[in-house]
């Protein structure tokens, strides 16, 4: 064990200063504000896109569930953790998404890591006379999707980020190869804020007889029919769509929308469902309340869209690129890690908190500020950020 401690120490020492991660205390408040110690900052680093995490209606439902059912579920869903609230919520979700079935899981990470792996274990068909599945993945897919592929020891065929022409080329190239095909991508990309052409990827999946797995973590609450994601309303039996509750829906947890067949399979085979304690009642209460509210939040979604256009246009007019972003996630790519940190610190001094994202979360050389907007932000807060950003980027010569 002495060997383990010293190799951990060596590992930590070798991390360059701008990449060394530490946890900081944060207390989110309403109105897009966060407290760091005694300092109040406007929070542009949270995924609470609709401001629901501070909404009294979610707090009320969460509290009433806790009062009625306690603070813990006590066991996994297959043992005694499957409270009636689960089935109620899953039915609401299936109706809202337009699917046969939905299944709640404890988090998006857990879902991608274990649902994808469970599906791949069936798709891979390893053994004599069987062919390995062909797994096509976007190069910038979230780490949890990579974990899912790795857990199943699947080889990924990576297409260039959000480049469906490249995906098509790779599908064509492997046309004669045996094995099931599965395409895995996000619909709103977490670090770049660009958006997948869902219809086109569906068309490619149909043409090449591929199963489609789409992560809608950052689209849920913000885009699509009833705000339920870009795939809502027409999910086929050969698709699985994942959404989360910890971002636009203001609480915690994840769900998949899929066929009844896939749901039944996962209940029997997915370790993330079988071997994990069910979500606590207060979380189910908050999810239930969010699902009642989100379809009616069109005004907030429209406002969020306007904030996004305002900030992007303001940055671009002053010569700063926001990449391919067309959503509430706006990256300002800087490149060098130390400069990313320097800019983020200076912005903090001016009262604004933005994400300072460095490799390995994003590819080498693409360190960036990640700005996330929320319907809880006022127009003045965003205008203030724009001015502070431009002056800071000019100060450091970026
Ligand atoms: C695209 C994507 N998928 C999945 C996750 C994980 O979701 P959760 O935070 O619920 O674990 C994230 C979170 O950062 C994400 O950005």
């Amino acid at each position: 064990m002495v060997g383990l401690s010293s190799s951990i120490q060596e590992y930590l020492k070798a991390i360059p200063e701008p990449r060394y991660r530490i946890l900081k205390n944060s207390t989110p408040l309403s109105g897009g504000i966060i407290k760091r110690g005694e300092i109040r900052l406007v929070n542009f680093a949270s995924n609470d896109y609709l401001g629901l995490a501070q909404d009294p209606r979610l707090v009320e439902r969460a509290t009433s569930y806790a009062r009625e059912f306690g603070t813990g579920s006590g066991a996994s869903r297959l043992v005694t953790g499957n409270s009636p609230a689960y089935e109620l919520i899953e039915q609401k979700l299936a109706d809202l998404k337009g699917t046969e079935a939905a299944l709640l899981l404890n988090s998006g990470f857990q879902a991608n890591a274990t649902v994808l792996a469970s599906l791949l274990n069936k798709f891979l068909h390893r053994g004599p006379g069987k062919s390995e599945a062909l797994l096509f993945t976007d190069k910038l897919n979230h780490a949890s999707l990579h974990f899912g592929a790795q857990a199943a020891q699947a080889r990924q065929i990576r297409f260039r980020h959000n480049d469906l022409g490249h995906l098509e080329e790779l599908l064509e190239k492997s046309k004669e190869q045996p094995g099931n095909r599965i395409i895995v991508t996000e619909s709103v990309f977490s670090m770049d804020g660009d958006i997948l052409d869902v219809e086109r990827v569906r068309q490619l999946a149909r043409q090449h007889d591929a199963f489609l797995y789409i992560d809608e973590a950052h689209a849920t609450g913000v885009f699509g029919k009833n705000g339920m994601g870009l795939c809502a309303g027409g999910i086929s039996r050969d698709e699985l769509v994942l959404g989360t509750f910890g971002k636009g829906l203001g609480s915690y947890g994840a769900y998949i929308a899929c066929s009844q067949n896939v749901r039944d399979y996962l209940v029997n085979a997915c370790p993330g469902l079988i071997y994990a304690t069910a979500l606590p009642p207060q979380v189910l209460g908050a999810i239930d309340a969010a699902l009642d509210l989100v379809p009616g939040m069109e005004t907030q979604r429209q406002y969020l869209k306007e904030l996004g256009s305002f900030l992007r246009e303001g940055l671009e007019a002053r010569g700063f690129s926001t990449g391919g972003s067309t959503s509430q996630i706006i990256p300002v790519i800087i490149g060098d890690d130390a400069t990313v940190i320097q800019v983020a610190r200076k912005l903090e001094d001016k009262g604004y908190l933005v994400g300072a994202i460095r490799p390995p979360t994003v590819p080498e050389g693409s360190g960036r500020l990640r700005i996330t907007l929320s319907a809880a932000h006022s127009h003045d807060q965003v205008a203030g950020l724009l001015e502070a950003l431009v002056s800071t980027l000019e100060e450091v010569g970026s």
Side-chain angles (χ1 to χ4, degrees):
M1 278 306 119
V2 172
L4 179 62
S5 306
S6 61
S7 54
I8 287 174
Q9 250 170 27
E10 269 168 43
Y11 167 83
L12 291 174
K13 262 197 213 142
I15 302 175
E17 203 268 325
R19 290 199 187 170
Y20 194 87
R21 298 165 192 249
I22 52 162
L23 297 169
K24 291 185 186 162
N25 280 343
S26 303
T27 311
L29 306 172
S30 58
I33 301 291
I34 193 162
K35 250 175 100 180
R36 281 256 163 111
E38 285 313 303
I39 298 169
R40 292 163 77 92
L41 301 164
V42 188
N43 185 5
F44 288 102
S46 155
N47 302 315
D48 180 18
Y49 302 128
L50 297 174
L52 282 175
Q54 307 297 324
D55 191 293
R57 294 164 292 185
L58 268 70
V59 174
E60 173 51 37
R61 189 92 54 101
T63 311
S64 82
Y65 268 54
R67 280 211 194 92
E68 194 168 347
F69 305 112
T71 53
S73 63
S76 72
R77 293 187 65 182
L78 281 168
V79 182
T80 59
N82 196 46
S83 70
Y86 262 110
E87 311 224 324
L88 183 93
I89 292 169
E90 286 174 347
Q91 190 55 53
K92 271 188 194 174
L93 276 167
D95 294 344
L96 281 167
K97 296 291 281 192
T99 45
E100 280 181 14
L103 184 69
L104 258 67
L105 287 119
N106 286 8
S107 78
F109 193 99
Q110 193 183 54
N112 280 334
T114 66
V115 168
L116 180 58
S118 307
L119 289 176
L120 287 167
N121 282 334
K122 270 286 146 274
F123 270 102
L124 287 168
H125 290 312
R126 288 204 180 90
K130 303 276 171 82
S131 310
E132 195 172 327
L134 303 179
L135 174 63
F136 297 87
T137 55
D138 187 290
K139 232 177 172 160
L140 297 189
N141 273 348
H142 189 257
S144 53
L145 293 164
H146 292 301
F147 256 78
Q150 275 171 1
Q153 297 179 326
R155 188 174 61 85
Q156 299 186 53
I157 303 169
R158 294 194 181 174
F159 53 93
R160 285 190 294 270
H161 171 56
N162 207 11
D163 182 345
L164 297 183
H166 190 215
L167 169 63
E168 184 172 20
E169 246 174 63
L170 295 174
L171 285 163
E172 283 292 330
K173 228 188 208 163
S174 58
K175 218 172 176 169
E176 304 305 322
Q177 282 184 42
N180 289 310
R181 277 132 179 83
I182 177 163
I183 300 168
V184 181
T185 181
E186 296 173 33
S187 67
V188 172
F189 287 90
S190 61
M191 291 297 140
D192 290 72
D194 49 346
I195 295 182
L196 174 77
D197 181 344
V198 172
E199 277 325 302
R200 174 116 174 81
V201 81
R202 280 181 161 155
Q203 196 185 20
L204 288 175
R206 278 195 301 272
Q207 259 169 15
H208 291 269
D209 198 19
F211 188 88
L212 192 53
Y213 186 118
I214 301 191
D215 179 334
E216 295 235 67
H218 295 275
T220 309
V222 181
F223 289 99
K225 192 175 171 200
N226 291 317
M228 289 307 293
L230 288 158
C231 301
I235 298 169
S236 83
R237 290 178 62 82
D238 294 323
E239 285 175 17
L240 180 149
V241 175
L242 172 136
T244 58
F245 300 109
K247 304 182 196 297
L249 270 64
S251 61
Y252 187 70
Y255 66 89
I256 54 161
C258 57
S259 67
Q260 188 62 43
N261 187 35
V262 167
R263 184 185 189 275
D264 293 344
Y265 167 66
L266 292 170
V267 169
N268 283 278
C270 176
L273 179 107
I274 298 170
Y275 303 111
T277 299
L279 287 166
Q282 64 275 23
V283 169
L284 294 173
I287 291 173
D288 190 45
L291 289 178
D292 288 345
L293 293 171
V294 162
M297 296 184 78
E298 216 41 67
T299 311
Q300 286 85 343
R301 281 189 276 280
Q302 188 53 38
Y303 173 62
L304 189 55
K305 218 182 216 176
E306 285 160 20
L307 287 182
S309 304
F310 169 77
L311 185 59
R312 264 192 306 274
E313 283 162 20
L315 283 167
E316 279 159 16
R318 287 152 156 108
F320 299 106
S321 164
T322 56
S325 163
T326 50
S327 69
Q328 73 284 6
I329 302 167
I330 303 182
V332 180
I333 314 260
I334 290 178
D336 168 59
D337 293 357
T339 316
V340 174
I341 298 282
Q342 190 192 10
V343 175
R345 283 196 184 133
K346 280 177 178 278
L347 282 170
E348 222 171 297
D349 292 342
K350 295 177 185 180
Y352 300 98
L353 185 68
V354 302
I357 314 288
R358 292 143 282 158
T361 307
V362 290
E364 269 319 314
S366 75
R368 67 194 61 189
L369 305 175
R370 176 178 181 266
I371 298 161
T372 45
L373 298 171
S374 165
H377 290 133
S378 69
H379 193 277
D380 282 355
Q381 286 172 329
V382 180
L385 171 72
L386 175 60
E387 290 316 312
L389 252 174
V390 168
S391 62
T392 309
L393 289 167
E394 282 168 359
E395 266 164 55
V396 301
S398 256

